[in-house]
Amino acid sequence: MTPATAGPVEEFATGLRTTRVRRTPDGRHEWWHGPGTGRHDPPAAPLAPAVPAHTAGARLVVPRPVEGGLAYLADGPYSAAAWLRDPRPAVRLLLAHALAGAGEALRDLHASAVPDGAGVPPALARLRSFLDRGAEGGVAGPHTPRTASSAPATAPHAPAAAPYAPAVVRLREHAARVWGPARLDRLRSWCAELTEPGGTVLVHGFASLGALIPPLRRGPVALLTGEDLGAARPELDLGWLLGDLAELDWAVPVSAHLDGPELPRVLLDAYGSGADRDLTGRAAVVRIAAHTRDFAAYCGWSDELADYTAFIADLIDEEGRRAVLGGATP
């Protein structure tokens, strides 16, 4: 079974990352990440040795250096972000299986020792910089507004590509008007809450539907892991996935009305106890805000960013509860 709405992904790029998905001779798929059009330094995953080799549920796939980039091996050519746009009922079960696997694997990752050198995950650091100053850092997320891509896009602290820097400034000015000082302060406080000392663990840093690869036929679910590892509250990783689900249900509501498992509940139930549901909802809002800022930084301005800004204002007001509740408005 392949997605009904998309053909195989071979190559796509943003200003930060080029992604190629290639079939290997043994029938698996190599996901290769290299520099994008606005970046020259290769991606790196210095904390990857800290990732446990064996986890329950999904496999945390770490990369190896290949051809000036990083290559991950998975058993599918499509991400969960791509599958989510497929309206067939069986896809809902496929996604539920993948999200359950991600929840179990993240629980094991969060139980691992935090290595020396683990800092604030890059995506969170980029958003904090944007909220404070608005003009530094950026990376396109695993799906662009209104369009679900099939690969994650994450990176170290890299400046916005020069052609898109004005888009970041424009978005910051627009967001400041729409959100107002109170909402901006809430977002800042949530970013700080996610890295409070004493509660941090080793986190994926950009757990997303674009990094979650269900097998095409047989094999384990893969969660591409390494480039964004850091130290934060475990709710960050859960919120990142729930934020993806909430965003896609809003922007491309194809699967929102299908019968089948409630995907946010599947993820949270698989993860189990130990995560604060309220903080997880706030982390989901942080994820969507980060993606909106990242899109401007490495794809440029789109009028749809104004729609996203209004959507985020509503999410801030409800503290992300709809993300945890599966799309229902509290």
Side-chain angles (χ1 to χ4, degrees), residues 7 34 38 41-42 71 77 98 122 127-128 133 142 160 166-167 175 194 202 212 234 259 283 325 328:
D41 57 310
L127 178 63
R128 294 200 312 192
R133 295 179 294 278
L194 287 167
L202 177 61
L212 186 61
D259 293 331
L325 297 173

Side-chain angles (χ1 to χ4, degrees), residues 220-299:
V221 174
L223 182 58
L224 310 186
T225 304
E227 296 165 70
D228 288 88
L229 289 161
R233 289 284 299 265
E235 291 85 358
L236 182 137
D237 282 342
L238 296 172
W240 236 248
L241 282 164
L242 293 180
D244 275 4
L245 289 170
E247 179 182 337
L248 284 170
D249 274 350
W250 170 75
V252 192
V254 174
S255 67
H257 308 295
L258 294 178
D259 293 331
E262 183 121 359
L263 298 180
R265 178 175 295 178
V266 166
L267 172 68
L268 294 171
D269 286 351
Y271 185 85
S273 61
D276 183 312
R277 296 291 176 98
D278 292 337
L279 181 55
T280 297
R282 295 193 287 272
V285 184
V286 169
R287 187 274 172 278
I288 298 171
H291 173 230
T292 302
R293 183 262 177 266
D294 290 352
F295 179 86
Y298 274 92
C299 296

Side-chain angles (χ1 to χ4, degrees), residues 17 31 33 44-52 55 58-64 70-74 102 105-106 109-110 152 154 202-208 210-213 221-230 237:
R17 165 175 297 170
W31 290 69
H33 296 165
L47 299 181
V51 175
T55 55
R59 181 183 174 205
L60 300 178
V61 178
V62 297
R64 58 188 178 89
L70 296 175
Y72 302 80
L73 275 178
L106 288 172
L109 176 68
H110 296 163
T154 57
L202 177 61
V203 294
H204 182 287
F206 212 102
S208 67
L212 186 61
I213 317 299
V221 174
L223 182 58
L224 310 186
T225 304
E227 296 165 70
D228 288 88
L229 289 161
D237 282 342

Side-chain angles (χ1 to χ4, degrees), residues 67-327:
E67 299 173 1
L70 296 175
Y72 302 80
L73 275 178
D75 289 289
Y78 310 106
S79 72
W83 280 109
L84 194 62
R85 303 183 69 195
D86 191 310
R88 289 174 291 179
V91 171
R92 194 79 171 185
L93 296 176
L94 176 77
L95 291 169
H97 174 69
L99 284 165
E104 294 180 69
L106 288 172
R107 184 184 62 223
D108 286 352
L109 176 68
H110 296 163
S112 303
V114 179
D116 293 339
V120 175
L124 187 60
R126 292 192 301 268
L127 178 63
R128 294 200 312 192
S129 177
F130 172 70
L131 294 174
D132 290 339
R133 295 179 294 278
E136 298 86 8
V139 51
H143 45 79
T144 59
R146 309 286 179 178
T147 305
S149 163
S150 60
T154 57
H157 305 276
Y164 301 130
V168 178
V169 174
R170 181 177 176 181
L171 176 64
R172 179 62 173 79
E173 293 172 348
H174 178 77
R177 290 193 299 270
V178 173
W179 296 344
R183 291 192 184 100
L184 282 168
D185 283 346
R186 292 181 85 182
L187 276 177
R188 291 189 191 102
S189 70
W190 295 348
C191 290
E193 188 177 12
L194 287 167
T195 55
E196 284 180 346
T200 59
V201 300
L202 177 61
V203 294
H204 182 287
F206 212 102
S208 67
L209 297 178
L212 186 61
I213 317 299
L216 189 59
R217 294 179 181 85
R218 296 181 179 178
V221 174
L223 182 58
L224 310 186
T225 304
E227 296 165 70
D228 288 88
L229 289 161
R233 289 284 299 265
E235 291 85 358
L236 182 137
D237 282 342
L238 296 172
W240 236 248
L241 282 164
L242 293 180
D244 275 4
L245 289 170
E247 179 182 337
L248 284 170
D249 274 350
W250 170 75
V252 192
V254 174
S255 67
H257 308 295
L258 294 178
D259 293 331
E262 183 121 359
L263 298 180
R265 178 175 295 178
V266 166
L267 172 68
L268 294 171
D269 286 351
Y271 185 85
S273 61
D276 183 312
R277 296 291 176 98
D278 292 337
L279 181 55
T280 297
R282 295 193 287 272
V285 184
V286 169
R287 187 274 172 278
I288 298 171
H291 173 230
T292 302
R293 183 262 177 266
D294 290 352
F295 179 86
Y298 274 92
C299 296
W301 178 262
S302 165
D303 288 343
E304 291 174 358
L305 290 173
D307 296 334
Y308 268 69
T309 306
F311 174 53
I312 292 166
D314 290 340
L315 292 174
I316 295 170
D317 291 344
E318 66 191 39
E319 299 196 19
R321 286 187 289 271
R322 79 174 66 179
V324 176
L325 297 173

